Amino acid sequence: MTTRDSSAPSDPVTLPLDVQLMRSGSSVLVWLLVLGLLLVGGHWLVHSPWFALRQVHVEGEVEHSTTDSIRRHALPRLEGNYLTLDLVEARAAFESIPWVRRAEVRRVWPHDLIVRLEEHQPVAYWEREAREPLLVNSFGEVFEVNLGDVEDEALPTLRGPRDTSAQVLAMWKRLVPVFAAMRSRVDRLELSDRGSWRAHLDRGAVIELGRGDADEIVDRTRRFVASVGQVSRRFENRAIEYADLRHVEGYALKLAGMGTTAHPVPARKH
C-alpha cells in the first residue's frame, strides 16, 4: 500500500484561461479605479478654495505704484491659486503696471505672494515727432507713463534715431560737467540721423557739436568751453546765441547783438 506524505507540496492547479483573464481584468480595473480616485482627489486638492491667494505683499522703493494701480493693472491678470499660479505670467502682470520696470514674484506658504517692484527713475524726456514725449530712465530705457505724474520739472529733453536713447543719455551725462564749467546746463541734446550732435543750453545758446565718437565730441567741447569765455569778455560779456564747433581749426560764434565770427581754438595737447 502506497501512502502520500501530506507535508509535500501539492501540484499547482492551472485555472482556465477565462478565469485568469477575469482575475487580471479585475486587478486592472481596481488599479484604474484607485488611480482615478487619486487624480480626482489631487485635482480637487490643487483647486481647493483653501489654496486661494489671500494677500499680496509689495516690497521695494515704490512711489508711483499705488494700491489702486496694482489692483487695476495686475490683480485681474492673476490666474489660479497658490499652487497653480504661473509665476512668469504673474511677473508680466505686475510689470504691466505703469512706472514698474521690473518685478520679482515668489510664493509664501500657504496663501500669499511677495512681489518686489523696481520702478523707473526718470532722468530725461525722449522727444517724438508730433506726439507727446516719452521718458528715459536711469538705464537709458524709454518708457511711457502719464507725464502729469512726473515731479521733476527740470528734466532735460533728448532726441535721436530709434533705439539710441541709451547712447544719447550717456553723451548728455558726459557733457553736463563740461558745460558746467561755463555755468551752463544742457537742457536739450539731439542726435541726427547722420550722427551729428547739437546741444541747447539753459540760456538759449545752440551749440553744434558735429560728428565723431564720444571722446572726440567731449574733447572738442572742452576746448570750446576753455576758450569761449575769453572771446565773450572781449565783447562785453555778451551772451552766446550760437556756436558751430564743426570747423577743423576753430569754431564759429554768434554773440547777442552781433553777427557770426570765426575764432581759432588752442591746439590739442598730446
Side-chain angles (χ1 to χ4, degrees), residues 72-90:
R72 285 189 292 112
H73 294 277
L75 297 188
R77 296 179 55 180
L78 299 181
E79 298 182 357
N81 58 21
Y82 178 87
L83 296 177
T84 61
L85 178 71
D86 187 316
L87 293 183
V88 174
E89 293 181 358

mmCIF file with all atom_site columns, all heavy atoms in Angstrom, residues 72-90:
data_model
loop_
_atom_site.group_PDB
_atom_site.id
_atom_site.type_symbol
_atom_site.label_atom_id
_atom_site.label_alt_id
_atom_site.label_comp_id
_atom_site.label_asym_id
_atom_site.label_entity_id
_atom_site.label_seq_id
_atom_site.pdbx_PDB_ins_code
_atom_site.Cartn_x
_atom_site.Cartn_y
_atom_site.Cartn_z
_atom_site.occupancy
_atom_site.B_iso_or_equiv
_atom_site.pdbx_formal_charge
_atom_site.auth_seq_id
_atom_site.auth_comp_id
_atom_site.auth_asym_id
_atom_site.auth_atom_id
_atom_site.pdbx_PDB_model_num
ATOM 1   N N   . ARG A 1 72 ? -5.839 97.583  -10.364 1.00 0.00 ? 72 ARG A N   1
ATOM 2   C CA  . ARG A 1 72 ? -6.408 97.755  -11.697 1.00 0.00 ? 72 ARG A CA  1
ATOM 3   C C   . ARG A 1 72 ? -5.608 97.038  -12.781 1.00 0.00 ? 72 ARG A C   1
ATOM 4   O O   . ARG A 1 72 ? -6.166 96.476  -13.714 1.00 0.00 ? 72 ARG A O   1
ATOM 5   C CB  . ARG A 1 72 ? -6.511 99.250  -12.026 1.00 0.00 ? 72 ARG A CB  1
ATOM 6   C CG  . ARG A 1 72 ? -7.644 99.954  -11.308 1.00 0.00 ? 72 ARG A CG  1
ATOM 7   C CD  . ARG A 1 72 ? -7.853 101.368 -11.821 1.00 0.00 ? 72 ARG A CD  1
ATOM 8   N NE  . ARG A 1 72 ? -6.725 102.245 -11.469 1.00 0.00 ? 72 ARG A NE  1
ATOM 9   C CZ  . ARG A 1 72 ? -5.873 102.748 -12.347 1.00 0.00 ? 72 ARG A CZ  1
ATOM 10  N NH1 . ARG A 1 72 ? -6.000 102.453 -13.638 1.00 0.00 ? 72 ARG A NH1 1
ATOM 11  N NH2 . ARG A 1 72 ? -4.900 103.543 -11.962 1.00 0.00 ? 72 ARG A NH2 1
ATOM 12  N N   . HIS A 1 73 ? -4.275 97.059  -12.659 1.00 0.00 ? 73 HIS A N   1
ATOM 13  C CA  . HIS A 1 73 ? -3.450 96.555  -13.752 1.00 0.00 ? 73 HIS A CA  1
ATOM 14  C C   . HIS A 1 73 ? -2.950 95.121  -13.548 1.00 0.00 ? 73 HIS A C   1
ATOM 15  O O   . HIS A 1 73 ? -2.772 94.400  -14.528 1.00 0.00 ? 73 HIS A O   1
ATOM 16  C CB  . HIS A 1 73 ? -2.246 97.480  -13.956 1.00 0.00 ? 73 HIS A CB  1
ATOM 17  C CG  . HIS A 1 73 ? -2.607 98.845  -14.438 1.00 0.00 ? 73 HIS A CG  1
ATOM 18  N ND1 . HIS A 1 73 ? -2.827 99.134  -15.763 1.00 0.00 ? 73 HIS A ND1 1
ATOM 19  C CD2 . HIS A 1 73 ? -2.789 100.012 -13.763 1.00 0.00 ? 73 HIS A CD2 1
ATOM 20  C CE1 . HIS A 1 73 ? -3.131 100.427 -15.889 1.00 0.00 ? 73 HIS A CE1 1
ATOM 21  N NE2 . HIS A 1 73 ? -3.112 100.979 -14.697 1.00 0.00 ? 73 HIS A NE2 1
ATOM 22  N N   . ALA A 1 74 ? -2.702 94.712  -12.325 1.00 0.00 ? 74 ALA A N   1
ATOM 23  C CA  . ALA A 1 74 ? -2.053 93.416  -12.097 1.00 0.00 ? 74 ALA A CA  1
ATOM 24  C C   . ALA A 1 74 ? -2.997 92.339  -11.583 1.00 0.00 ? 74 ALA A C   1
ATOM 25  O O   . ALA A 1 74 ? -3.038 91.230  -12.131 1.00 0.00 ? 74 ALA A O   1
ATOM 26  C CB  . ALA A 1 74 ? -0.883 93.583  -11.130 1.00 0.00 ? 74 ALA A CB  1
ATOM 27  N N   . LEU A 1 75 ? -3.736 92.624  -10.526 1.00 0.00 ? 75 LEU A N   1
ATOM 28  C CA  . LEU A 1 75 ? -4.530 91.572  -9.879  1.00 0.00 ? 75 LEU A CA  1
ATOM 29  C C   . LEU A 1 75 ? -5.533 90.904  -10.815 1.00 0.00 ? 75 LEU A C   1
ATOM 30  O O   . LEU A 1 75 ? -5.695 89.667  -10.752 1.00 0.00 ? 75 LEU A O   1
ATOM 31  C CB  . LEU A 1 75 ? -5.246 92.146  -8.649  1.00 0.00 ? 75 LEU A CB  1
ATOM 32  C CG  . LEU A 1 75 ? -4.328 92.651  -7.521  1.00 0.00 ? 75 LEU A CG  1
ATOM 33  C CD1 . LEU A 1 75 ? -5.149 92.999  -6.286  1.00 0.00 ? 75 LEU A CD1 1
ATOM 34  C CD2 . LEU A 1 75 ? -3.249 91.618  -7.184  1.00 0.00 ? 75 LEU A CD2 1
ATOM 35  N N   . PRO A 1 76 ? -6.215 91.629  -11.723 1.00 0.00 ? 76 PRO A N   1
ATOM 36  C CA  . PRO A 1 76 ? -7.151 90.926  -12.623 1.00 0.00 ? 76 PRO A CA  1
ATOM 37  C C   . PRO A 1 76 ? -6.470 89.941  -13.560 1.00 0.00 ? 76 PRO A C   1
ATOM 38  O O   . PRO A 1 76 ? -7.132 89.073  -14.123 1.00 0.00 ? 76 PRO A O   1
ATOM 39  C CB  . PRO A 1 76 ? -7.807 92.082  -13.406 1.00 0.00 ? 76 PRO A CB  1
ATOM 40  C CG  . PRO A 1 76 ? -7.641 93.290  -12.539 1.00 0.00 ? 76 PRO A CG  1
ATOM 41  C CD  . PRO A 1 76 ? -6.320 93.100  -11.863 1.00 0.00 ? 76 PRO A CD  1
ATOM 42  N N   . ARG A 1 77 ? -5.155 90.056  -13.732 1.00 0.00 ? 77 ARG A N   1
ATOM 43  C CA  . ARG A 1 77 ? -4.448 89.159  -14.653 1.00 0.00 ? 77 ARG A CA  1
ATOM 44  C C   . ARG A 1 77 ? -3.872 87.937  -13.954 1.00 0.00 ? 77 ARG A C   1
ATOM 45  O O   . ARG A 1 77 ? -3.296 87.070  -14.611 1.00 0.00 ? 77 ARG A O   1
ATOM 46  C CB  . ARG A 1 77 ? -3.319 89.936  -15.341 1.00 0.00 ? 77 ARG A CB  1
ATOM 47  C CG  . ARG A 1 77 ? -3.814 91.065  -16.221 1.00 0.00 ? 77 ARG A CG  1
ATOM 48  C CD  . ARG A 1 77 ? -2.672 91.838  -16.865 1.00 0.00 ? 77 ARG A CD  1
ATOM 49  N NE  . ARG A 1 77 ? -1.769 90.960  -17.609 1.00 0.00 ? 77 ARG A NE  1
ATOM 50  C CZ  . ARG A 1 77 ? -0.687 91.386  -18.259 1.00 0.00 ? 77 ARG A CZ  1
ATOM 51  N NH1 . ARG A 1 77 ? -0.381 92.678  -18.245 1.00 0.00 ? 77 ARG A NH1 1
ATOM 52  N NH2 . ARG A 1 77 ? 0.088  90.542  -18.924 1.00 0.00 ? 77 ARG A NH2 1
ATOM 53  N N   . LEU A 1 78 ? -4.012 87.854  -12.633 1.00 0.00 ? 78 LEU A N   1
ATOM 54  C CA  . LEU A 1 78 ? -3.510 86.679  -11.911 1.00 0.00 ? 78 LEU A CA  1
ATOM 55  C C   . LEU A 1 78 ? -4.521 85.544  -12.020 1.00 0.00 ? 78 LEU A C   1
ATOM 56  O O   . LEU A 1 78 ? -5.658 85.672  -11.569 1.00 0.00 ? 78 LEU A O   1
ATOM 57  C CB  . LEU A 1 78 ? -3.256 87.030  -10.442 1.00 0.00 ? 78 LEU A CB  1
ATOM 58  C CG  . LEU A 1 78 ? -2.225 88.130  -10.171 1.00 0.00 ? 78 LEU A CG  1
ATOM 59  C CD1 . LEU A 1 78 ? -2.061 88.347  -8.673  1.00 0.00 ? 78 LEU A CD1 1
ATOM 60  C CD2 . LEU A 1 78 ? -0.879 87.790  -10.810 1.00 0.00 ? 78 LEU A CD2 1
ATOM 61  N N   . GLU A 1 79 ? -4.101 84.436  -12.596 1.00 0.00 ? 79 GLU A N   1
ATOM 62  C CA  . GLU A 1 79 ? -4.991 83.290  -12.789 1.00 0.00 ? 79 GLU A CA  1
ATOM 63  C C   . GLU A 1 79 ? -4.489 82.109  -11.974 1.00 0.00 ? 79 GLU A C   1
ATOM 64  O O   . GLU A 1 79 ? -3.308 81.774  -12.003 1.00 0.00 ? 79 GLU A O   1
ATOM 65  C CB  . GLU A 1 79 ? -5.069 82.913  -14.271 1.00 0.00 ? 79 GLU A CB  1
ATOM 66  C CG  . GLU A 1 79 ? -5.650 84.013  -15.151 1.00 0.00 ? 79 GLU A CG  1
ATOM 67  C CD  . GLU A 1 79 ? -5.747 83.592  -16.603 1.00 0.00 ? 79 GLU A CD  1
ATOM 68  O OE1 . GLU A 1 79 ? -5.304 82.457  -16.913 1.00 0.00 ? 79 GLU A OE1 1
ATOM 69  O OE2 . GLU A 1 79 ? -6.272 84.373  -17.415 1.00 0.00 ? 79 GLU A OE2 1
ATOM 70  N N   . GLY A 1 80 ? -5.414 81.461  -11.274 1.00 0.00 ? 80 GLY A N   1
ATOM 71  C CA  . GLY A 1 80 ? -5.056 80.291  -10.471 1.00 0.00 ? 80 GLY A CA  1
ATOM 72  C C   . GLY A 1 80 ? -4.932 80.636  -9.000  1.00 0.00 ? 80 GLY A C   1
ATOM 73  O O   . GLY A 1 80 ? -5.221 81.755  -8.550  1.00 0.00 ? 80 GLY A O   1
ATOM 74  N N   . ASN A 1 81 ? -4.481 79.637  -8.238  1.00 0.00 ? 81 ASN A N   1
ATOM 75  C CA  . ASN A 1 81 ? -4.309 79.829  -6.803  1.00 0.00 ? 81 ASN A CA  1
ATOM 76  C C   . ASN A 1 81 ? -2.830 79.684  -6.438  1.00 0.00 ? 81 ASN A C   1
ATOM 77  O O   . ASN A 1 81 ? -1.956 79.760  -7.297  1.00 0.00 ? 81 ASN A O   1
ATOM 78  C CB  . ASN A 1 81 ? -5.174 78.840  -6.021  1.00 0.00 ? 81 ASN A CB  1
ATOM 79  C CG  . ASN A 1 81 ? -4.851 77.390  -6.363  1.00 0.00 ? 81 ASN A CG  1
ATOM 80  O OD1 . ASN A 1 81 ? -3.768 77.078  -6.874  1.00 0.00 ? 81 ASN A OD1 1
ATOM 81  N ND2 . ASN A 1 81 ? -5.788 76.495  -6.109  1.00 0.00 ? 81 ASN A ND2 1
ATOM 82  N N   . TYR A 1 82 ? -2.589 79.479  -5.169  1.00 0.00 ? 82 TYR A N   1
ATOM 83  C CA  . TYR A 1 82 ? -1.200 79.390  -4.696  1.00 0.00 ? 82 TYR A CA  1
ATOM 84  C C   . TYR A 1 82 ? -0.413 78.311  -5.438  1.00 0.00 ? 82 TYR A C   1
ATOM 85  O O   . TYR A 1 82 ? 0.758  78.502  -5.770  1.00 0.00 ? 82 TYR A O   1
ATOM 86  C CB  . TYR A 1 82 ? -1.209 79.095  -3.199  1.00 0.00 ? 82 TYR A CB  1
ATOM 87  C CG  . TYR A 1 82 ? 0.178  78.930  -2.607  1.00 0.00 ? 82 TYR A CG  1
ATOM 88  C CD1 . TYR A 1 82 ? 0.894  80.023  -2.146  1.00 0.00 ? 82 TYR A CD1 1
ATOM 89  C CD2 . TYR A 1 82 ? 0.768  77.667  -2.510  1.00 0.00 ? 82 TYR A CD2 1
ATOM 90  C CE1 . TYR A 1 82 ? 2.166  79.874  -1.615  1.00 0.00 ? 82 TYR A CE1 1
ATOM 91  C CE2 . TYR A 1 82 ? 2.032  77.507  -1.987  1.00 0.00 ? 82 TYR A CE2 1
ATOM 92  C CZ  . TYR A 1 82 ? 2.722  78.615  -1.536  1.00 0.00 ? 82 TYR A CZ  1
ATOM 93  O OH  . TYR A 1 82 ? 3.981  78.455  -1.028  1.00 0.00 ? 82 TYR A OH  1
ATOM 94  N N   . LEU A 1 83 ? -1.055 77.172  -5.737  1.00 0.00 ? 83 LEU A N   1
ATOM 95  C CA  . LEU A 1 83 ? -0.365 76.040  -6.360  1.00 0.00 ? 83 LEU A CA  1
ATOM 96  C C   . LEU A 1 83 ? -0.303 76.152  -7.876  1.00 0.00 ? 83 LEU A C   1
ATOM 97  O O   . LEU A 1 83 ? 0.669  75.707  -8.491  1.00 0.00 ? 83 LEU A O   1
ATOM 98  C CB  . LEU A 1 83 ? -1.052 74.728  -5.964  1.00 0.00 ? 83 LEU A CB  1
ATOM 99  C CG  . LEU A 1 83 ? -1.012 74.362  -4.472  1.00 0.00 ? 83 LEU A CG  1
ATOM 100 C CD1 . LEU A 1 83 ? -1.790 73.080  -4.236  1.00 0.00 ? 83 LEU A CD1 1
ATOM 101 C CD2 . LEU A 1 83 ? 0.420  74.209  -3.986  1.00 0.00 ? 83 LEU A CD2 1
ATOM 102 N N   . THR A 1 84 ? -1.323 76.746  -8.488  1.00 0.00 ? 84 THR A N   1
ATOM 103 C CA  . THR A 1 84 ? -1.408 76.718  -9.952  1.00 0.00 ? 84 THR A CA  1
ATOM 104 C C   . THR A 1 84 ? -0.952 78.012  -10.615 1.00 0.00 ? 84 THR A C   1
ATOM 105 O O   . THR A 1 84 ? -0.851 78.072  -11.833 1.00 0.00 ? 84 THR A O   1
ATOM 106 C CB  . THR A 1 84 ? -2.849 76.424  -10.391 1.00 0.00 ? 84 THR A CB  1
ATOM 107 O OG1 . THR A 1 84 ? -3.721 77.467  -9.914  1.00 0.00 ? 84 THR A OG1 1
ATOM 108 C CG2 . THR A 1 84 ? -3.325 75.093  -9.823  1.00 0.00 ? 84 THR A CG2 1
ATOM 109 N N   . LEU A 1 85 ? -0.687 79.047  -9.837  1.00 0.00 ? 85 LEU A N   1
ATOM 110 C CA  . LEU A 1 85 ? -0.290 80.331  -10.407 1.00 0.00 ? 85 LEU A CA  1
ATOM 111 C C   . LEU A 1 85 ? 1.012  80.200  -11.184 1.00 0.00 ? 85 LEU A C   1
ATOM 112 O O   . LEU A 1 85 ? 2.001  79.653  -10.698 1.00 0.00 ? 85 LEU A O   1
ATOM 113 C CB  . LEU A 1 85 ? -0.130 81.366  -9.292  1.00 0.00 ? 85 LEU A CB  1
ATOM 114 C CG  . LEU A 1 85 ? 0.323  82.756  -9.735  1.00 0.00 ? 85 LEU A CG  1
ATOM 115 C CD1 . LEU A 1 85 ? -0.794 83.458  -10.495 1.00 0.00 ? 85 LEU A CD1 1
ATOM 116 C CD2 . LEU A 1 85 ? 0.748  83.589  -8.525  1.00 0.00 ? 85 LEU A CD2 1
ATOM 117 N N   . ASP A 1 86 ? 1.031  80.710  -12.422 1.00 0.00 ? 86 ASP A N   1
ATOM 118 C CA  . ASP A 1 86 ? 2.241  80.744  -13.243 1.00 0.00 ? 86 ASP A CA  1
ATOM 119 C C   . ASP A 1 86 ? 3.032  81.995  -12.865 1.00 0.00 ? 86 ASP A C   1
ATOM 120 O O   . ASP A 1 86 ? 2.597  83.121  -13.106 1.00 0.00 ? 86 ASP A O   1
ATOM 121 C CB  . ASP A 1 86 ? 1.858  80.787  -14.728 1.00 0.00 ? 86 ASP A CB  1
ATOM 122 C CG  . ASP A 1 86 ? 3.076  80.649  -15.644 1.00 0.00 ? 86 ASP A CG  1
ATOM 123 O OD1 . ASP A 1 86 ? 4.109  81.287  -15.373 1.00 0.00 ? 86 ASP A OD1 1
ATOM 124 O OD2 . ASP A 1 86 ? 2.982  79.911  -16.642 1.00 0.00 ? 86 ASP A OD2 1
ATOM 125 N N   . LEU A 1 87 ? 4.215  81.808  -12.272 1.00 0.00 ? 87 LEU A N   1
ATOM 126 C CA  . LEU A 1 87 ? 4.987  82.943  -11.774 1.00 0.00 ? 87 LEU A CA  1
ATOM 127 C C   . LEU A 1 87 ? 5.499  83.828  -12.900 1.00 0.00 ? 87 LEU A C   1
ATOM 128 O O   . LEU A 1 87 ? 5.674  85.039  -12.716 1.00 0.00 ? 87 LEU A O   1
ATOM 129 C CB  . LEU A 1 87 ? 6.162  82.449  -10.913 1.00 0.00 ? 87 LEU A CB  1
ATOM 130 C CG  . LEU A 1 87 ? 5.790  81.769  -9.594  1.00 0.00 ? 87 LEU A CG  1
ATOM 131 C CD1 . LEU A 1 87 ? 7.049  81.392  -8.816  1.00 0.00 ? 87 LEU A CD1 1
ATOM 132 C CD2 . LEU A 1 87 ? 4.900  82.681  -8.753  1.00 0.00 ? 87 LEU A CD2 1
ATOM 133 N N   . VAL A 1 88 ? 5.773  83.239  -14.068 1.00 0.00 ? 88 VAL A N   1
ATOM 134 C CA  . VAL A 1 88 ? 6.216  84.055  -15.207 1.00 0.00 ? 88 VAL A CA  1
ATOM 135 C C   . VAL A 1 88 ? 5.096  84.991  -15.651 1.00 0.00 ? 88 VAL A C   1
ATOM 136 O O   . VAL A 1 88 ? 5.317  86.184  -15.893 1.00 0.00 ? 88 VAL A O   1
ATOM 137 C CB  . VAL A 1 88 ? 6.670  83.157  -16.379 1.00 0.00 ? 88 VAL A CB  1
ATOM 138 C CG1 . VAL A 1 88 ? 6.993  83.994  -17.600 1.00 0.00 ? 88 VAL A CG1 1
ATOM 139 C CG2 . VAL A 1 88 ? 7.881  82.329  -15.967 1.00 0.00 ? 88 VAL A CG2 1
ATOM 140 N N   . GLU A 1 89 ? 3.888  84.462  -15.747 1.00 0.00 ? 89 GLU A N   1
ATOM 141 C CA  . GLU A 1 89 ? 2.751  85.291  -16.127 1.00 0.00 ? 89 GLU A CA  1
ATOM 142 C C   . GLU A 1 89 ? 2.440  86.313  -15.034 1.00 0.00 ? 89 GLU A C   1
ATOM 143 O O   . GLU A 1 89 ? 2.049  87.441  -15.328 1.00 0.00 ? 89 GLU A O   1
ATOM 144 C CB  . GLU A 1 89 ? 1.528  84.416  -16.403 1.00 0.00 ? 89 GLU A CB  1
ATOM 145 C CG  . GLU A 1 89 ? 1.680  83.529  -17.638 1.00 0.00 ? 89 GLU A CG  1
ATOM 146 C CD  . GLU A 1 89 ? 0.445  82.695  -17.895 1.00 0.00 ? 89 GLU A CD  1
ATOM 147 O OE1 . GLU A 1 89 ? -0.506 82.781  -17.082 1.00 0.00 ? 89 GLU A OE1 1
ATOM 148 O OE2 . GLU A 1 89 ? 0.415  81.959  -18.899 1.00 0.00 ? 89 GLU A OE2 1
ATOM 149 N N   . ALA A 1 90 ? 2.622  85.913  -13.777 1.00 0.00 ? 90 ALA A N   1
ATOM 150 C CA  . ALA A 1 90 ? 2.380  86.845  -12.671 1.00 0.00 ? 90 ALA A CA  1
ATOM 151 C C   . ALA A 1 90 ? 3.369  88.003  -12.721 1.00 0.00 ? 90 ALA A C   1
ATOM 152 O O   . ALA A 1 90 ? 3.007  89.165  -12.503 1.00 0.00 ? 90 ALA A O   1
ATOM 153 C CB  . ALA A 1 90 ? 2.490  86.113  -11.338 1.00 0.00 ? 90 ALA A CB  1
#
